[in-house]
Amino acid sequence: MKRILIILILLNAFSLGSYPNRNARGEVSENYIQAQGIVDIKLPKMQFREKEPISAVLSVRNTGNEVLRIFPYGKDLRSFQVIVRDEDGRTVTRLEEERKQDPVLRRRNKVENLVGDEVKEIILHKDETFSKEIRIDHLYELEPGKKYFVTAYFYPNISEYGDHFVRSESHPYFSVEERKKDWVLPGVPYQDPTTDGLEPEEVIHLFLGAEKKKNWKLHFKWIHFPEYIQAYDRFARDWQQSEEAEKDFVLEEFRNYLTENRSGMLQYYKILGTEKVSSNLSKVRVAVERRVNKVPVRYEYEFTLRRMPEENGMFWKVANLLAKVRK
């Protein structure tokens, strides 16, 4: 009799434990953010003027069938964080004290319900999205003339589980343009950075010519690696997911890959045309012939070049590549 009673108690305990926690409406209330939540961050544009407000929209979307529970923490919204890195992968210095906001803007940045009270819990059902706007220029010291990459980190319950977070799938980038001055010092000749120095077409000549001669040092000189590496699917994911200390190893492997001629030996190239997208962005189309296993293969390349700041001025660098086979 005692054995039967013990067995019944164990079965009852297992049956109770098999039911998930449910909220007042009878819906499952476990946090499935790791399995069915997608975190994304978007910027309204890629280029900002100096002193222009820079905002990013961080969004959390429930892609599953179960309910997601979010617990915003603190008036500073530490549950929604962004990390900004420069083009070399270094984390940008964060401002010691966040700028004080006016009451209207502060109310917009707080998570509030319809009566103005701060929300302690947000529930997302299937296909629902919660978004938050964050002023990046109020959090980080951004220098004009540089490019930055943004990554979002979302903590669904940072007060109780500070180590549990979800990183955004996208890592958008933006640049801050220097404000142009309307005056020139007497005796100093004015130079137009868009016309002086090498043009995008000339950079492509040097870039492909160096590859043909296997002068890899000169070839790599014209590549903006943090952006160019993302044109190769094999290395893009490793680059985005690697820590700052690991990026040098990924970059070294990528350089070795470019020197192994896996896409064939460069035999011939001809520049077809140049398109100026903006003052700092151009595209160059090139007809290329490579020899793969002694078989000639013809491609049409579209190089994207971006003007990057260097010690001696602004120079065009190869930032992206799209290739298609020509018949």
Side-chain angles (χ1 to χ4, degrees):
M1 187 65 181
K2 291 184 178 180
R3 291 184 179 179
I4 296 176
L5 184 59
I6 293 174
I7 292 174
L8 290 176
I9 293 174
L10 291 176
L11 290 175
N12 188 34
F14 285 131
S15 62
L16 290 175
S18 63
Y19 288 98
N21 296 330
R22 297 180 180 272
N23 58 22
R25 290 174 285 184
E27 297 167 330
V28 177
S29 60
E30 297 291 345
N31 199 330
Y32 294 91
I33 187 69
Q34 294 285 354
Q36 64 185 46
I38 293 181
V39 178
D40 191 18
I41 186 169
K42 293 183 179 179
L43 296 167
K45 55 184 179 179
M46 297 170 56
Q47 292 183 337
F48 295 87
R49 298 187 303 272
E50 188 176 355
K51 304 298 183 181
E52 180 182 3
I54 303 176
S55 298
V57 177
L58 190 156
S59 61
V60 182
R61 181 169 177 247
N62 184 1
T63 60
N65 296 318
E66 308 297 343
V67 172
L68 289 185
R69 302 176 64 190
I70 300 174
F71 302 90
Y73 178 78
K75 295 182 178 181
D76 56 352
L77 298 180
R78 286 197 291 148
S79 300
F80 312 91
Q81 299 186 20
V82 293
I83 301 298
V84 179
R85 294 183 173 88
D86 60 18
E87 51 195 328
D88 296 323
R90 294 188 295 265
T91 302
V92 181
T93 303
R94 192 179 179 95
L95 296 174
E96 294 182 0
E97 294 184 2
E98 189 174 346
R99 303 176 187 177
K100 294 184 179 179
Q101 300 176 353
D102 61 85
V104 175
L105 184 60
R106 187 172 61 88
R107 286 199 301 271
R108 290 176 181 173
N109 280 341
K110 290 198 309 183
V111 181
E112 298 178 345
N113 60 14
L114 296 178
V115 296
D117 297 329
E118 291 189 30
V119 174
K120 296 182 180 180
E121 179 180 358
I122 299 173
I123 296 178
L124 295 180
H125 296 273
K126 180 180 179 181
D127 295 330
E128 288 184 341
T129 301
F130 175 79
S131 299
K132 193 72 205 158
E133 184 177 353
I134 299 175
R135 281 288 297 272
I136 297 179
D137 57 318
H138 285 179
L139 301 176
Y140 290 92
E141 296 180 358
L142 304 175
E143 299 181 21
K146 288 190 175 183
K147 186 171 75 171
Y148 300 97
F149 294 84
V150 184
T151 303
Y153 292 84
F154 171 67
Y155 295 78
N157 193 355
I158 193 173
S159 61
E160 297 184 10
Y161 304 101
D163 296 332
H164 295 179
F165 65 87
V166 180
R167 185 168 57 179
S168 61
E169 295 187 345
S170 59
H171 308 275
Y173 63 87
F174 67 94
S175 59
V176 181
E177 295 182 347
E178 294 182 280
R179 182 178 296 175
K180 295 183 179 179
K181 296 181 180 180
D182 298 329
W183 51 270
V184 180
L185 291 175
V188 178
Y190 174 77
Q191 290 184 332
D192 185 358
T194 61
T195 57
D196 295 340
L198 294 175
E199 293 295 320
E201 183 175 336
E202 296 174 305
V203 171
I204 294 300
H205 273 299
L206 295 172
F207 176 71
L208 293 177
E211 179 189 350
K212 194 173 182 181
K213 296 178 181 178
K214 297 185 182 299
N215 186 347
W216 300 114
K217 183 177 180 181
L218 180 60
H219 181 74
F220 294 153
K221 175 183 178 181
W222 303 110
I223 297 178
H224 178 51
F225 280 101
E227 192 171 356
Y228 186 69
I229 193 174
Q230 301 188 49
Y232 292 77
D233 295 338
R234 174 181 172 184
F235 297 95
R237 186 178 182 87
D238 293 340
W239 176 264
Q240 293 176 358
Q241 295 183 350
S242 61
E243 299 295 336
E244 183 175 350
E246 300 173 347
K247 290 186 180 295
D248 289 339
F249 297 98
V250 179
L251 197 60
E252 185 64 26
E253 185 179 357
F254 179 57
R255 288 195 181 100
N256 293 334
Y257 173 83
L258 294 178
T259 61
E260 290 175 357
N261 296 316
R262 297 188 179 185
S263 58
M265 297 286 293
L266 179 61
Q267 301 292 317
Y268 167 83
Y269 70 89
K270 178 182 178 181
I271 295 181
L272 302 176
T274 303
E275 175 188 359
K276 183 179 179 181
V277 181
S278 65
S279 60
N280 292 322
L281 192 70
S282 293
K283 294 185 178 182
V284 180
R285 293 187 301 110
V286 185
V288 175
E289 180 177 310
R290 293 184 177 275
R291 188 169 296 274
V292 183
N293 296 328
K294 300 183 179 180
V295 178
V297 182
R298 295 179 177 87
Y299 299 91
E300 181 174 321
Y301 287 173
E302 183 183 80
F303 290 102
T304 300
L305 291 89
R306 190 181 304 279
R307 291 178 69 246
M308 306 301 301
E310 300 286 344
E311 293 182 358
N312 299 326
M314 301 286 288
F315 294 93
W316 291 98
K317 293 292 187 73
V318 179
N320 194 14
L321 168 64
L322 294 177
K324 62 180 180 180
V325 180
R326 301 184 67 186
K327 297 182 180 180

